[in-house]
């Protein structure tokens, strides 16, 4: 039996975690938080500036701390795309709540990232071009997203349909 007190949204950059998370929280009348937003608030700077100053290893450490903090105070939590990289985070999310993976193919993510790159929140992870980076990152992380998730959703679906599916999956867990 899955614990239902919290909902975690995982998936790659631009898969729609924040939009679905907000809608999910509104529908359930639960609190919502996005770990990137909370991290930027705590650090008082953007992800790009934080990474530039302290590096990715420090960012991952901080991000794990933010996950714990977010889970104490909120019930629907949209996570940064790399939250699953640490085993402790994967274990924590699976054990503490229902985990939804928003799955999307490379071309859809690339299109969304071209349209809305959010450079301050999304500095380059690999130094590659956009298409190569999204493909590389998905190849590495998809098994982690799948292993962590209780439910996999197709992120391309319209938000309204996604929400309906997510709510019905949540109630059936
Ligand atoms: C990252 C995704 C970003 C942000 C940071 C690292 C990643 O979050 O946490 O730039 O490693 O994929 P979003 O998935 O919300 O864009």
């Amino acid at each position: 039996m899955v614990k239902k007190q919290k909902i975690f949204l995982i998936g790659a950059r631009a898969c729609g975690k924040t939009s679905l998370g907000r809608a999910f929280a509104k529908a359930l009348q639960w609190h919502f938080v996005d770990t990137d937003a909370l991290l930027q608030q705590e650090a008082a700077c953007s992800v790009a500036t934080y990474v530039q100053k302290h590096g990715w290893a420090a960012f991952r450490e901080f991000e794990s701390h933010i996950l714990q903090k977010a889970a104490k105070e909120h019930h629907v939590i949209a996570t940064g795309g790399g939250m699953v990289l640490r085993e402790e985070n994967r274990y924590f999310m699976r054990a503490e709540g229902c985990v939804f993976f928003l799955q999307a193919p490379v071309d859809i993510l690339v299109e969304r990232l071209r349209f809305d790159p959010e450079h301050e929140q999304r500095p380059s992870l690999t130094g590659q071009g956009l298409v190569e980076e999204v493909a590389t990152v998905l190849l590495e992380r998809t098994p982690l997203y799948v292993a962590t998730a209780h439910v996999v959703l197709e992120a391309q679906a319209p938000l309204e349909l996604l929400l309906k599916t997510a709510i019905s999956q949540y109630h059936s867990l």
Side-chain angles (χ1 to χ4, degrees):
M1 177 73 176
V2 176
K3 277 194 193 167
K4 295 192 172 183
Q5 290 85 352
K6 289 183 204 312
I7 286 168
F8 296 95
L9 295 138
I10 62 171
R13 287 171 165 177
C15 70
K17 294 163 289 189
T18 303
S19 305
L20 179 61
R22 276 190 204 291
F24 215 155
K26 196 171 168 201
L28 296 172
Q29 296 188 296
W30 286 8
H31 291 290
F32 169 77
V33 75
D34 178 302
T35 58
D36 286 325
L38 188 56
L39 185 148
Q40 292 180 116
Q41 190 184 312
E42 289 250 320
C45 68
S46 68
V47 173
T49 303
Y50 189 89
V51 169
Q52 202 177 14
K53 275 192 189 158
H54 307 287
W56 278 113
F59 174 83
R60 296 298 173 205
E61 189 73 41
F62 193 18
E63 182 179 53
S64 297
H65 157 76
I66 292 292
L67 176 66
Q68 299 292 323
K69 188 176 164 88
K72 276 199 187 98
E73 298 164 5
H74 300 272
H75 291 124
V76 179
I77 299 151
T79 63
M83 193 63 84
V84 294
L85 290 172
R86 288 195 163 195
E87 188 181 9
E88 71 197 60
N89 295 345
R90 300 197 295 273
Y91 181 81
F92 176 77
M93 290 190 282
R94 229 189 127 78
E96 288 294 314
C98 302
V99 185
F100 289 79
F101 166 35
L102 276 169
Q103 176 168 258
V106 173
D107 55 335
I108 295 290
L109 296 172
V110 166
E111 197 183 300
R112 290 184 184 179
L113 285 166
R114 269 210 184 106
F115 179 71
D116 187 14
E118 289 199 56
H119 290 301
E120 282 306 300
Q121 188 184 306
R122 296 171 173 151
S124 175
L125 294 162
T126 62
Q128 295 172 300
L130 182 58
V131 179
E132 293 77 11
E133 172 156 301
V134 172
T136 304
V137 168
L138 267 195
L139 196 65
E140 178 196 8
R141 295 182 185 170
T142 298
L144 304 178
Y145 292 135
V146 170
T148 310
H150 295 102
V151 178
V152 180
L153 298 170
E154 293 302 326
Q156 288 145 279
L159 181 59
E160 217 170 285
L161 180 61
L162 263 181
L163 177 62
K164 217 172 143 190
T165 313
I167 289 174
S168 115
Q169 292 278 355
Y170 167 71
H171 287 303
S172 68
L173 280 175

